[in-house]
Amino acid sequence: MRFGLCILAMGLMLAVLGCGNVASLGPVAAATMPQPHKLHTPFVLQAMRAKPATLPSGGCPAGYVTLAGNQGWCYRKIGTPVTITSAVVSPINTQGPNPPQYGLTLTLPASEVPALTAVTTTAASVKGPLALSVGGRTWVLPMVLAPFTGPQFPVPLPSRSQALQLQRSLA
C-alpha cells in the first residue's frame, strides 16, 4: 500500500515539475487550493537566448553575458520582462536520487497568467531558458520548449540551499 502511495506522489510531483500546465483536479480541489497572495519580494521573469561560450578566452560574443553558476554558457535577454507580485509558493520538493533535483512550484493568480504565457512564448520561440530574478539574484531556469498557459510553473534548482533561498525571498 505504501509503495503505491509513493508512486502516486512521485507521479504528481513529476507532473508539477515536468510541465507548465497541470490539469485541474476539479472543483473540490480548486476550492481547497491556497490563493495567491502578495509576495515578500516580487520576481522578474525574462526570456533568454543561450549559447555555449566559444571564444578562445571562454568569454561571450558581443551582446551576451555570463551568469554566476552557469560557466560555459552565454546569455542575452530577449523580449519584455515580466514582474510577478503575487503567487502561491509551494514547499520544496525533491526528485531523483542521483543527483537529486530540488524545486518549487509557483502558482500565479489568473490575472498574471497572460504575462507568464507571453514571456514563456518568447523563450519557447528560441528554445531558450528563463531568467528568474529576485532581490538582485538571478537563477537560470531550464530551456522552455512550449509556452506555459496555466497558472502553475516549476522552478527546478540544483541544490536545496538555493531552493530554500528562493523560497525565503518570495514567501
Side-chain angles (χ1 to χ4, degrees), residues 149-164:
T149 58
Q152 294 182 319
F153 73 99
V155 180
L157 297 162
S159 73
R160 183 168 179 77
S161 65
Q162 286 185 22
L164 277 169

Side-chain angles (χ1 to χ4, degrees), residues 10 28 40 42 59 71-73 81 84 87-88 99 108 113 115 126 128-129 131-132 134-135 147 157 162 169:
M10 286 176 52
V28 174
H40 181 262
Q71 279 68 25
W73 284 91
I84 305 293
V88 173
L108 307 184
V113 172
V126 297
L132 185 147
V134 181
L157 297 162
Q162 286 185 22
S169 295

Side-chain angles (χ1 to χ4, degrees), residues 43-52 60 64-77 101-104 123 126-134 136-144 148 153-159 162-163 165-166:
F43 65 91
V44 176
L45 288 174
Q46 173 76 57
M48 306 288 278
R49 185 179 302 270
K51 52 170 60 176
C60 295
Y64 285 79
V65 298
T66 58
L67 296 174
N70 294 289
Q71 279 68 25
W73 284 91
C74 301
Y75 300 93
R76 184 178 72 176
K77 295 177 182 179
Q101 178 80 39
Y102 300 91
L104 305 169
V126 297
K127 304 287 187 260
L130 286 177
L132 185 147
S133 300
V134 181
R137 171 100 194 257
T138 299
W139 287 270
V140 177
L141 306 181
M143 150 171 61
V144 178
F148 297 170
F153 73 99
V155 180
L157 297 162
S159 73
Q162 286 185 22
Q165 182 182 10
L166 179 58

